[in-house]
Each structure stands twice: as C-alpha cells, then as structure tokens.
Amino acid sequence: MVTTMSARRRRALTSLAVLAGSAVALTGCGLSNSSSGAASSSKALTVWHQFSGEGAGAMDVVISDYNKKNPDAKFKGRSIANDEANTVVRTGLSGNNPPTVLQYEGYQQTKDFVKAGQLLDITDWYNQHVDDFTYGDSQAVKDACEVDGKMYCIPWNVDTSEQLFINPDIMSQYSLTAPKTVDDLKAIAGTLKGTGINPVSLYAGDGWPAAHWWFLLTIQRCSVDTIVAAANQDGAKWDDPCFLQSAQDLYDIGQAGVFPQGVEGQDYNAMLQLFLSGKAALMNTGTWFNATLADKATKPKFETEAVAFPQVDPAKPSQQILGGFTNVFGLPANSGNTDAGLKFLDYIADPANGAGAKFAKTGLVNVIIGADKEMEPRVKASYDAIAAALALPGNNVIAYFENLVPPSVGEDIMYNGTAALTSGSMKPQDYVTQLQQAAEAAAAG
C-alpha cells in the first residue's frame, strides 16, 4: 500500500524525543507454505522494526534475550526512520539482502506484499500458535494478516483511537466535564474562548490526525459494514449521505472553534507539544500515546486521563470502534533464513518468554496471552474496550481507513481532505465527491 511516506501515520510508540525519527514499515516475501524455500544461510539475521522510544527499548531487550537463549543465532535489530522507511523497506525486499523478520502495519500492506511475492505463508505455523494470542482467531487478525485464506503475519500490538486524553487540571480550573457528545465539545470551546487554552490539540499537517476525527465520526454515522462496502466499492459509495454527514460534523466542529488556529499547518509533534505543555484541555490520538506518557523524557506534569470519544447521537450510542493491529510481524520469503525467522516468532509468541509483557509495560496494548497483566489502568481500559467490541456479534472493530484503500484514496484524499475540513478550507460536499472520484479511479486503474 505505501507509495508515499510523507503523510504516513507512524502510530508505533511515539516518544516525543524521537518522534520525527524512529519508524519503519516491514514486510516479507511470499512462499506457498512455511516449510518451503531457502531455510537457512550465512546471511545476517535481522529484525527490522518501527518502534521508537520505550518500544524500541523493549524490542532491543527482546532481541538480546533471544540471543542469550540461542547463542548460535545472533539477531540484530534495525529501526528505520519514518522518512526513509518506504524506500529502505521496498529496496530491501526486492534486493538480495532482505531482513529475516519484519514488522509492519498489516491490512493493505499485507495484500500488497503478498501480491508482490514478498511474504512467507506462515499458515501452518500460525494454526499451531493461535492460542498464544488474545484475539488470535478474530476477524480483526484475519483482516490484518490473511490473504485468500492464508496467514502471512502475526498480530502484536493492537491500537484504538476511541479516546480523548484529558488534562484534568484544566478541566477543573474551568469547571469543565468530559464531553460525552459532539455538542459538549462545542460548549467547551465556548467556555475556553479567549482564555489562551485550546479546547482540543489538533494539528493536521501530517493528515492522519484529522482523518482520525472523520473516521471516528463516520463509524457512528455509517457503521463498520457500510465503511467496508465503500472501501471495496461494493454496495456503498464515499459520497453517500452518511459519509457526507460525518464530513459535515467535522467541518462544524472546526467552525465552532474546537481546534487551534493554524490547525491545517503544523504536525503531530507540534500537536503533542501543545497538549503536553498544558495548553490544551483535550487531545484525540491512539493508544500508542500511552508510551509517550510512560516515557520519563516526555511525561507531562499533570496526570493524564482518558475518556471515550464523544457520540454524535447519545440516544443511539455506537459500540463499534476504530482500531486494529497496527504492529504485525511477518517473514520475508527470500531472506535465506526462514527457519531462523520462524524460530524467532516461536520465541516472541510464547507467553512464557515475556516478550509481549515487555511491550505492555511500555504502554502498548500487546496481545500475547497474559500481557494485559502488565498494563497500567489507562492502557488496560483500552484493552478491555477492544475485547468488548470483539466479543459482540458481527464485525465491530475497523482498521484505520487508509489501511483499507489505495494510497491515492487514503493518504491523498482522506488525509489532505480531512485536514482541509478542520480548517474550513474545503466544504464537506467537495470532500466526499473527491473521495469517491479517487476511489473510482483507483478501481478502474
């Protein structure tokens, strides 16, 4: 899926000190089954990953622990910077020296890498290890890792953006209560007008932070099944009334003064700075933000709380959530060390080895069995919300939409269009019209 990286969301464990740097998309190469291909060679054993901050530290420890227990297999980790990831990964996969193990974002990437013959089919391995993962047999895992009934990756961390992070000091100072509805957000903006405090920290220069708002509103207006139908251009279109209404919702929120001046210009780093410095009451972002809050270098002076994202219609509250397996691991088929790669997956998937628990301690929602015991309460609450949604009948968890569509639809129109909606520089009808036109062009081309 990734053909442009400038606007790509790097959800993985952002520590503010390294926010502009450490991230990577990783992939693998495709064989027909996990026992075929060049099983081992003298090539270096490597793990390419997108973790940064505390998460990068956890990855380092996991690799080190593995090497201690397997002295004949010396893996080395490589964290690739965000702005280099697309080029480095695709060059690595198509060249003669791909990594042994790769971490990437799943979903459309999995499909693209499989189509290019770049991911190892690990179906047999996964069927033997499925019970090591909390959501191992869920549709959400299949959406991230399965292509044509075969598994090509393992779930690792699951994220959701179904929360607002709150500065309780500001809320108390101005006698504000957590918003339960979109209208409550607008009322907070009215109360804080002229105080120098921003109601919500949002900078949309990267595109995806604004897109999250539209995704969250769209889930409530349209439902997961309708969104999937529009993504597939099968039974729904992006300019249908519910998608237009969610675009209008976002436009109206921006016009009500909920977002900062210059919302369309600055990036996610600036957005975090505004909130962490105590200059905004609220901020929406994903559960990966918990890693920033856990990092001593970036932890704010106030004790951050989290509440559910507001409802557009509290009389009919949505139980469907935005999120998915934003970190998955796969194996390149052409690494020359597929046996070593499978052995590394054996290790990290085994709850007894504690690899998942190490990530959970950093603030991440890891899905290895038992990892939730290491989560602090705010993170555990997100884990429980995801579990509750997965337990409901039907499909109630949907991935970040750009993972469901080609880049020309997601990273171009969704990212740029929603950023323009927040600032009022694009009208809702123009947005959904352009989105549907891009989807039709992608389907035809």
Side-chain angles (χ1 to χ4, degrees):
M1 166 181 172
V2 264
T3 59
T4 60
M5 288 299 296
S6 59
R8 275 209 64 76
R9 178 194 303 106
R10 284 296 148 202
R11 289 181 289 266
L13 341 181
T14 48
S15 170
L16 199 59
V18 291
L19 207 105
S22 301
V24 64
L26 310 136
T27 68
C29 305
L31 296 180
S32 60
N33 62 65
S34 59
S35 61
S36 62
S40 62
S41 77
S42 60
K43 290 183 179 180
L45 302 178
T46 55
V47 180
W48 287 8
H49 66 87
Q50 66 179 11
F51 300 118
S52 62
E54 295 291 308
M59 191 75 250
D60 289 344
V61 171
V62 168
I63 293 173
S64 177
D65 288 350
Y66 177 84
N67 288 338
K68 289 176 182 177
K69 293 185 177 181
N70 299 274
D72 294 332
K74 294 298 184 183
F75 271 90
K76 293 184 179 180
R78 180 184 181 185
S79 179
I80 304 176
N82 181 39
D83 57 355
E84 300 175 354
N86 190 45
T87 300
V88 171
V89 170
R90 291 189 178 276
T91 300
L93 292 177
S94 61
N96 295 322
N97 195 28
T100 315
V101 179
L102 307 119
Q103 178 260 317
Y104 65 103
E105 293 188 355
Y107 302 96
Q108 186 65 39
Q109 288 186 26
T110 301
K111 295 177 182 178
D112 289 348
F113 298 148
V114 170
K115 183 178 180 180
Q118 295 176 327
L119 277 180
L120 182 72
D121 174 2
I122 60 169
T123 304
D124 293 342
W125 181 95
Y126 193 78
N127 288 339
Q128 295 170 9
H129 293 79
V130 62
D131 292 338
D132 291 332
F133 305 95
T134 305
Y135 310 117
D137 59 355
S138 69
Q139 184 60 45
V141 172
K142 293 178 181 179
D143 290 343
C145 291
E146 187 180 78
V147 178
D148 295 332
K150 298 178 181 180
M151 293 295 289
Y152 291 89
C153 62
I154 69 168
W156 191 247
N157 296 324
V158 63
D159 281 308
T160 179
S161 293
E162 289 284 339
Q163 62 274 316
L164 287 174
F165 290 93
I166 287 181
N167 181 327
D169 296 346
I170 292 176
M171 302 297 283
S172 175
Q173 180 181 353
Y174 292 97
S175 300
L176 301 171
T177 56
K180 295 183 179 180
T181 69
V182 168
D183 286 340
D184 290 343
L185 276 176
K186 298 175 183 177
I188 289 173
T191 300
L192 293 177
K193 186 175 182 179
T195 64
I197 298 296
N198 294 277
V200 169
S201 180
L202 174 66
Y203 285 123
D206 293 324
W208 63 264
H212 279 199
W213 281 78
W214 183 68
F215 296 169
L216 290 159
L217 295 164
T218 300
I219 291 169
Q220 296 184 35
R221 291 291 190 189
C222 301
S223 84
V224 165
D225 288 343
T226 303
I227 295 163
V228 172
N232 294 330
Q233 290 289 284
D234 182 13
K237 295 182 178 180
W238 290 116
D239 55 359
D240 286 347
C242 70
F243 295 108
L244 174 59
Q245 182 58 62
S246 57
Q248 187 69 53
D249 292 334
L250 181 56
Y251 180 88
D252 291 344
I253 291 170
Q255 293 300 295
V258 172
F259 305 132
Q261 289 292 318
V263 59
E264 197 174 352
Q266 298 193 68
D267 63 8
Y268 183 65
N269 193 21
M271 175 176 138
L272 292 194
Q273 289 277 19
L274 188 68
F275 181 74
L276 294 171
S277 64
K279 296 180 180 179
L282 308 161
M283 182 176 70
N284 168 254
T285 191
T287 43
W288 55 87
F289 181 58
N290 287 303
T292 298
L293 297 175
D295 192 326
K296 293 180 181 179
T298 54
K299 185 176 181 180
K301 294 180 180 179
F302 53 89
E303 288 296 327
T304 308
E305 298 174 0
V307 297
F309 188 82
Q311 294 284 326
V312 295
D313 184 359
K316 299 178 181 179
S318 172
Q319 293 180 296
Q320 298 184 324
I321 65 173
L322 173 68
F325 294 95
T326 50
N327 302 136
V328 300
F329 284 98
L331 304 181
N334 298 331
S335 73
N337 284 305
T338 55
D339 283 352
L342 288 167
K343 191 174 181 181
F344 188 83
L345 294 188
D346 286 341
Y347 178 82
I348 63 174
D350 187 344
N353 291 324
K358 288 181 175 64
F359 278 83
K361 289 178 181 178
T362 71
L364 298 173
V365 187
N366 187 269
V367 296
I368 296 296
I369 291 292
D372 60 309
K373 296 177 182 178
E374 302 296 336
M375 297 174 189
E376 65 98 28
R378 183 179 57 246
V379 182
K380 182 64 161 58
S382 296
Y383 175 93
D384 291 341
I386 296 165
L390 288 170
L392 293 171
N395 190 8
N396 296 292
V397 178
I398 189 166
Y400 298 93
F401 296 8
E402 78 273 25
N403 285 316
L404 307 176
V405 295
S408 60
V409 181
E411 295 170 23
D412 291 347
I413 304 301
M414 287 182 181
Y415 280 10
N416 297 327
T418 54
L421 287 174
T422 63
S423 69
S425 63
M426 176 180 278
K427 295 299 176 67
Q429 183 63 63
D430 293 335
Y431 168 67
V432 296
T433 298
Q434 291 183 27
L435 186 58
Q436 178 58 27
Q437 289 174 345
E440 291 174 359

